[in-house]
Amino acid sequence: MFKALRLVMLAVLIGLAPGIASAAGVDLHRSVCSAALPDMAGDAAIAAAPYRCGADAPTDSDQWLWLRLDPSHLGGLASPWSLLVDQVRFDRIAVMTVTDRGMTRRSWSSSDLGGNWAPGGLLKFPMTVPGRDIRGLYLGFRRIDDLSLMRKVVAMPGSALTTGEVKWLLLIGLFTGTLLSAFLYNLVIHTGRRLAFQRWYLLWVSVSLAYGLVWTNAAAFVVPQLVGPVAFRLDYVLVGLMVAACNMFFFSVIEEGILPRGFVRAGRVLAVAGAVMGFVAAADMWFPVILTDRLLNYVIAGTSAIIALSCGIAVRRGSRVIWFYMIGWGPVICLFLLRLARNLGFAPQNDLVDLATFAALAFEALVLSLAIADRFRLIRHQLELARQRREVDMAETKTLRIAAHTDFLTALGNRAAFQQHANDLIKGHVPFSLFLIDVDYLKDVNDRLGHASGDALLLSVGSALSQATRLLPDVRVARIGGDEFAILCPGSVEAETALSEAIMTVQGDRWHPTDSNCTLSLSIGAARYPDDADALDMLYQNADLALYTAKRLGRARYIRFDPLQRSLRDLQLEFTSDVEAALQRGEFQLYLQPIVSLETTRVCGYEALLRWNHPRYGLMAPDRFADVLVAERIGLRIQEHVLELALLQLREHGERMGVLSVNFTSAQLSGPRSARNVLDRLAHHGIAASRLCVEVTEGVMLDRTADTILANLRILHDAGVTIALDDFGTGYASLVHLRRLPVDRIKIDCSFVSSIEQSEGGTMAIVRAIVGMGTGLGKVVVAEGIESEAQALCLRDLGCQLGQGFLYGRPAPGLMADPLRVAAGPAAANDVAQVVAAHH
C-alpha cells in the first residue's frame, strides 16, 4: 500500500517537474536588523525607524518587531519569486516592499496562513515585484515570541515548487510510508500479548510520524490551518513526547537485569521531564520562551547521554537487543545533537540536518522493528521455557499444597486443612458440628512400648475414625495435634448424633496385633455451629471444654458442650486471678484425714488435703479449683504453700501426728534442686525425713520430665522420706513401672474399694491382685475411700495393711480426738514398722 503511495507521489512530482525552480535562493537572515515599533506605525515610520543590527538588535516586542532585510542581492530574482520564512510564534505577520513607485504592505493573522506554507517547515509569501525594483524589504511580526528562534529567511526564485521543496516531499513520502508500515506491522503482530516495549514503540512511531508531518507542514495537505504558530507550538509538545516514548521504549526493550536500577530510574525521570517540558515550552503565553526552549534542549541532551551510557553497559553485559537499538538510534542521536548545537547557536543553519533527521527517524523505525522482532523471538523462547517451568511449578505446587494440608503420619487432613474447611463452612453459613477427639494414654504407650507403637496407635485411630465416618456425607477427619483429632460434620443435629454413635463404637477396639490389652480409648468433645458459637475460635474452645470434661470424668466417653462448662471454666479463671490475694490472706488451709491400721484401727498418720476458704464461694475442695493447681507458676506457689503448712503441722503436733502424707505435683519435683529444697525445709523445721510421705500419681512419675522427677524421688527416698504411689490401678502402665520406681506405698484407688463388695465386675480379683503384688514386692498397701465395715473387713482379709475413708474420719482441720482409735506416737510408728517388716 505504501509503495503505491510513494509511486503516486513520485508521479505527481514528475508532473510538476517543469515548474520546479532550481536556482539557488538568497539568504536574507544574516543581514537582518530589527526595530520595535507600536501597532499604529505607518509605512513611512517603518521605513524610517532606527534599526539596530547584531547583538544590540531587539529580539522581541509586546507590539510589532520589524526586520529590515538587505535587498541588494535580489537583483537576479525575476517576478514572481517567494519569500520563505522559518515558522515561529506570533499574532500577525506582515511583508512590506519599497519601490520607486511607493510602499506596499500586506498582513496575515496567525490563523490565515493556510495558503502560505511550504514543505520543510516554512511559511511562503509570493512576491510579484522583480528583485531589481525593490529598494527596501521589511518583515514584521506582532508579538513574536523571540527572534532567536527564527533561523531562516530566504528569497527563492519562482512561485512553483523549488528543488528543496521537492526533496522534502520525497522525503516525507518515504518517511510517512515507512513509519505507517512499521506502525501497522507492530500493531497486528502478537495481538493480545502486547508487551510494554511494544506499546512504547507504537507510541513513539505515532508521535514521530505526527512530528514529521507537522514540522514539515505535510499535515497541511489535510488540515491547511496546521501551519505557522499552531504547528510551532505543537512541535514542542510532540518533541517532548518523542523524548518520553524513546526513553521508555529503550529501558523496557533491554533485557531485564542488564542495566542498573539507577540508570532505569534516571531514564524514566528524563522521560517524564521531556513530556512535561514539551507542554511547558508550547505554553508561551505563560512561560518565558527562551528558558523553556533551552530546558527542553537540555532534557534532550541528558536523554542522549543516559542512553549512550546505558548502551555501553548493555554491550558489556551481553545484551542482544542493544545492537539493533544502537544501529537504529545512533544516527538519530547524532543528528539530534547536531540540531541541538544549531539550536543553541554552535552550528550554522543547514537544511541537510533537518532532511537527514527525518530520514534517520524512518531508518530507526525499521531497525527498531527488527529489534522488536528479535525481542519477541527471545520472549517467545522465554515464554516457552516459562510455560514448561510453570507446568513443573504447578505440579510441584499441587504436590506441596496437598502435603501442606495432609498429616504426614495418618494421611488425613492436618490443622491447616481443618481450619480452611471450617472457615469455608462458616463463610457459607453451613451448620456443622465440630468433634475434638483425644487419644487417651498415648504417652503411656510411648513410654511402655516405644514411639513406633505410639505411631501405630495413631494410625489405628485415624483408620477407625475414617471407617466410622465413611457413610456420612461431607464429613472431614483431620489430625490437628500430637494425640488430637478433629471431625467436621456438616448437616443437622441428627447427623451429629449418628456420628457420635459411630465413633463410640470404636471404643475398646483392639489396635495392637499381639497385645490384647491394647485397646482404643478416646475422649470426645463436641460443639455445634452456629448454636454454640458463630466463630471458629470460640467453637473450638467450646468443643475443647467438652473434651476436657470428658477426660475429667474418666476418659473414653463423649461429652456434648453445655454452657455450664463455659461457666465452670470462667470460674476457674476467676479463681486463678484470686490466688495471689488468697495466699496473702491465708485462705488456703490443710484438712487432715486419718490413715489407720486395718488390723488395730489405730491411727498411723494423716493425709493432708488442701481446702480453699473462699470469701465468696465458701470452703472448696481441690476439684473446684483444679485448673489453678495445674497452672505452672501459680500451681507451684500453692503447692509450696501446702508443703510449708504441712511442715508446720508436723512441727506443732510432733510424734502424735505420725506420718503426714502430702500430694506432690510434677512441677514440685521437676527442678534439679527440688528434692534438696524439700530436705532443706525439713531440716529448717527440725523434722525427721521419715515423718513425711510424698504422694504422687503415676502421671507425675511419667511426666515429660520423668527422668528428673524419678531422680528427685530417689534422693528423697534415700533420705528417708516415704514415697507413695497414689490412685494405683487406674493408670495404663502401673504394673510395668512399679518395679523400677522408688515407691514404699501403693494406694488402691477408691473406685475399686467402692465396688469391692459387688459380685460382678471382677473388682475383687483386681484388688486381690494389687494387694498380692504390693505385698510381694515389699510395699505397704493403703486402701482409699473405705466407708463401711464390710469393705474394711474384706480388705483386711485380702491382706491390705492400711486404710482411710469416711469410716475412720472425714477430713478435718485438726487431729482426731477419738482416744479409742488414736495411737500414741511410738505405738503408731510401731504399727507401721511392723507392717513394713512383715512384708520385706
Side-chain angles (χ1 to χ4, degrees):
M1 180 181 71
F2 299 107
K3 183 177 180 181
L5 177 63
R6 290 194 292 270
L7 291 175
V8 171
M9 185 171 290
L10 286 173
V12 172
L13 293 174
I14 291 172
L16 296 174
I20 295 176
S22 60
V26 179
D27 185 5
L28 301 176
H29 186 266
R30 297 181 182 179
S31 60
V32 166
C33 297
S34 61
L37 298 175
D39 290 340
M40 304 304 294
D43 295 348
I46 294 171
Y51 287 90
R52 289 179 290 174
C53 306
D56 294 333
T59 59
D60 59 6
S61 174
D62 292 337
Q63 299 184 37
W64 278 87
L65 183 71
W66 282 92
L67 310 182
R68 186 182 67 191
L69 307 178
D70 184 5
S72 61
H73 300 288
L74 302 179
L77 297 178
S79 177
W81 58 279
S82 301
L83 184 64
L84 300 180
V85 181
D86 201 6
Q87 297 188 130
V88 290
R89 288 171 290 197
F90 51 80
D91 289 347
R92 296 188 67 83
I93 185 170
V95 178
M96 189 180 81
T97 58
V98 180
T99 65
D100 293 337
R101 292 188 297 272
M103 299 179 183
T104 304
R105 180 169 56 170
R106 288 178 294 170
S107 178
W108 298 265
S109 71
S110 60
S111 60
D112 295 335
L113 299 171
N116 296 91
W117 58 271
L122 300 172
L123 296 176
K124 184 176 183 178
F125 300 99
M127 307 297 292
T128 58
V129 180
R132 64 179 178 273
D133 296 339
I134 295 179
R135 301 294 178 261
L137 182 61
Y138 300 89
L139 181 64
F141 299 91
R142 187 180 186 278
R143 297 182 62 85
I144 187 173
D145 50 11
D146 198 278
L147 188 60
S148 64
L149 299 178
M150 187 181 70
R151 303 174 184 89
K152 188 173 185 180
V153 181
V154 179
M156 293 297 295
S159 60
L161 291 175
T162 65
T163 303
E165 292 172 346
V166 172
K167 292 178 182 178
W168 274 111
L169 289 175
L170 287 172
L171 178 61
I172 203 62
L174 294 172
F175 173 81
T176 302
T178 302
L179 265 68
L180 278 176
S181 298
F183 179 84
L184 293 177
Y185 169 72
N186 284 277
L187 187 66
V188 299
I189 64 171
H190 303 282
T191 303
R193 296 171 58 186
R194 195 160 288 120
L195 300 176
F197 63 82
Q198 191 184 14
R199 293 194 295 270
W200 287 116
Y201 175 78
L202 289 173
L203 177 60
W204 180 84
V205 171
S206 303
V207 176
S208 298
L209 178 59
Y211 174 71
L213 294 176
V214 173
W215 193 93
T216 62
N217 284 338
F221 280 113
V222 180
V223 185
Q225 292 77 23
L226 200 58
V227 294
V230 176
F232 195 82
R233 291 186 178 95
L234 187 55
D235 285 339
Y236 276 117
V237 174
L238 294 174
V239 167
L241 293 177
M242 283 176 62
V243 172
C246 163
N247 258 6
M248 297 305 295
F249 170 75
F250 175 80
F251 288 104
S252 59
V253 77
I254 300 299
E255 298 90 340
E256 187 175 354
I258 291 291
L259 297 177
R261 293 180 180 271
F263 276 70
V264 177
R265 284 194 292 267
R268 290 172 178 168
V269 170
L270 285 172
V272 174
V276 172
M277 287 310 304
F279 284 96
V280 171
D284 56 284
M285 66 292 296
W286 295 319
F287 302 104
V289 293
I290 295 298
L291 176 62
T292 55
D293 181 81
R294 292 292 184 268
L295 289 176
L296 178 58
N297 282 281
Y298 293 151
V299 171
I300 295 173
T303 297
S304 301
I306 195 69
I307 289 180
L309 290 173
S310 300
C311 287
I313 294 173
V315 169
R316 290 179 56 190
R317 295 188 177 182
S319 170
R320 290 175 52 185
V321 179
I322 192 60
W323 294 106
F324 289 100
Y325 191 89
M326 290 175 62
I327 293 171
W329 190 245
V332 176
I333 292 179
C334 294
L335 288 167
F336 264 93
L337 290 177
L338 284 176
R339 293 186 73 181
L340 177 64
R342 184 192 66 186
N343 295 344
L344 297 176
F346 299 117
Q349 171 68 31
N350 192 329
D351 287 350
L352 291 178
V353 174
D354 294 322
L355 288 167
T357 298
F358 292 99
L361 288 173
F363 175 72
E364 183 188 19
L366 291 177
V367 174
L368 294 186
S369 291
L370 296 177
I372 287 177
D374 180 76
R375 188 79 168 91
F376 268 119
R377 282 194 295 271
L378 178 62
I379 287 175
R380 277 197 300 269
H381 178 66
Q382 293 174 345
L383 288 175
E384 179 61 23
L385 294 178
R387 184 189 63 79
Q388 296 175 4
R389 287 196 300 268
R390 189 163 54 251
E391 290 179 353
V392 173
D393 291 343
M394 288 176 62
E396 291 179 350
T397 301
K398 182 178 179 181
T399 302
L400 291 174
R401 185 167 55 250
I402 293 173
H405 287 79
T406 303
D407 177 56
F408 70 95
L409 178 62
T410 62
L412 297 172
N414 58 10
R415 179 177 288 275
F418 155 74
Q419 290 179 335
Q420 178 179 338
H421 188 60
N423 285 322
D424 290 343
L425 292 174
I426 291 175
K427 289 179 182 178
H429 303 289
V430 178
F432 66 93
S433 298
L434 168 62
F435 287 75
L436 294 182
I437 302 167
D438 191 84
V439 182
D440 298 329
Y441 311 115
L442 176 63
K443 186 181 185 307
D444 296 339
V445 172
N446 286 331
D447 292 337
R448 184 170 66 92
L449 302 176
H451 286 276
S453 295
D455 290 344
L457 171 58
L458 293 173
L459 281 169
S460 298
V461 172
S463 176
L465 294 177
S466 298
Q467 189 70 13
T469 59
R470 72 187 188 282
L471 298 179
L472 297 172
D474 301 325
V475 171
R476 300 290 185 91
V477 182
R479 178 181 173 228
I480 60 175
D483 60 352
E484 191 172 10
F485 291 78
I487 300 179
L488 295 172
C489 177
S492 62
V493 177
E494 288 73 16
E496 176 186 326
T497 303
L499 178 58
S500 63
E501 292 173 354
I503 297 174
M504 289 302 293
T505 60
V506 306
Q507 297 277 19
D509 286 356
R510 177 175 167 181
W511 61 267
H512 199 285
T514 60
D515 191 343
S516 60
N517 292 323
C518 294
T519 56
L520 294 182
S521 176
L522 306 176
S523 296
I524 309 160
R528 184 168 179 77
Y529 169 85
D531 302 345
D532 298 324
D534 56 3
L536 181 58
D537 288 345
M538 184 58 66
L539 185 70
Y540 185 93
Q541 291 181 26
N542 291 341
D544 192 55
L545 282 174
L547 172 63
Y548 172 80
T549 304
K551 296 182 76 68
R552 187 168 56 83
L553 295 178
R555 306 183 184 183
R557 66 190 66 220
Y558 164 73
I559 297 295
R560 181 73 168 75
F561 171 73
D562 187 286
L564 179 60
Q565 298 166 6
R566 169 65 59 185
S567 301
L568 293 175
R569 174 57 62 90
D570 293 341
L571 186 61
Q572 292 290 338
L573 294 176
E574 180 185 346
F575 289 157
T576 301
S577 63
D578 290 346
V579 165
E580 292 292 345
L583 287 171
Q584 294 177 5
R585 293 193 297 262
E587 294 175 3
F588 289 101
Q589 302 175 6
L590 282 188
Y591 273 50
L592 304 177
Q593 184 175 33
I595 301 174
V596 303
S597 168
L598 294 181
E599 287 291 338
T600 65
T601 68
R602 294 200 304 182
V603 175
C604 301
Y606 292 85
E607 179 178 2
L609 301 174
L610 180 64
R611 296 293 184 268
W612 185 353
N613 191 11
H614 196 281
R616 178 179 177 185
Y617 299 104
L619 193 66
M620 298 186 298
D623 58 347
R624 292 281 303 278
F625 52 94
D627 287 351
V628 177
L629 296 177
V630 299
E632 185 170 350
R633 183 182 62 84
I634 299 176
L636 183 59
R637 291 265 331 260
I638 295 175
Q639 296 298 338
E640 290 175 348
H641 182 66
V642 169
L643 177 61
E644 188 66 19
L645 292 177
L647 296 180
L648 290 174
Q649 290 276 5
L650 284 171
R651 188 177 67 180
E652 177 184 354
H653 296 290
E655 293 293 337
R656 55 190 299 267
M657 176 171 278
V659 178
L660 181 60
S661 297
V662 180
N663 291 280
F664 271 56
T665 64
S666 57
Q668 288 177 276
L669 297 169
S670 57
R673 286 189 49 83
S674 297
R676 183 55 53 193
N677 290 337
V678 173
L679 296 177
D680 289 345
R681 298 309 300 163
L682 286 169
H684 173 75
H685 289 285
I687 300 170
S690 59
R691 300 279 309 283
L692 178 66
C693 175
V694 172
E695 289 193 7
V696 293
T697 62
E698 180 189 348
V700 171
M701 289 189 173
L702 301 180
D703 189 79
R704 62 183 182 277
T705 56
D707 292 341
T708 303
I709 291 174
L710 291 177
N712 284 317
L713 288 175
R714 289 190 177 95
I715 293 174
L716 293 174
H717 183 267
D718 293 342
V721 175
T722 302
I723 308 298
L725 184 58
D726 199 8
D727 298 336
F728 188 79
T730 59
Y732 193 79
S734 298
L735 303 180
V736 175
H737 291 84
L738 189 58
R739 289 181 57 85
R740 67 183 184 90
L741 298 178
V743 173
D744 301 298
R745 297 181 181 182
I746 57 176
K747 301 185 73 173
I748 303 175
D749 187 71
C750 59
S751 60
F752 296 108
V753 174
S754 63
S755 57
I756 195 171
E757 299 175 274
Q758 299 176 4
S759 59
E760 299 179 356
T763 303
M764 178 67 77
I766 294 174
V767 174
R768 182 182 289 108
I770 294 174
V771 173
M773 180 186 62
T775 55
L777 293 174
K779 315 295 182 183
V780 175
V781 181
V782 184
E784 296 181 294
I786 303 175
E787 296 184 359
S788 66
E789 289 288 355
Q791 293 172 349
L793 178 61
C794 183
L795 289 167
R796 187 169 60 249
D797 292 342
L798 290 175
C800 183
Q801 298 98 337
L802 302 178
Q804 66 182 99
F806 290 168
L807 178 64
Y808 304 110
R810 294 178 178 273
L815 298 184
M816 281 187 60
D818 186 354
L820 297 178
R821 288 186 175 173
V822 178
N830 289 335
D831 282 347
V832 176
Q834 292 171 4
V835 168
V836 172
H839 296 283
H840 272 283

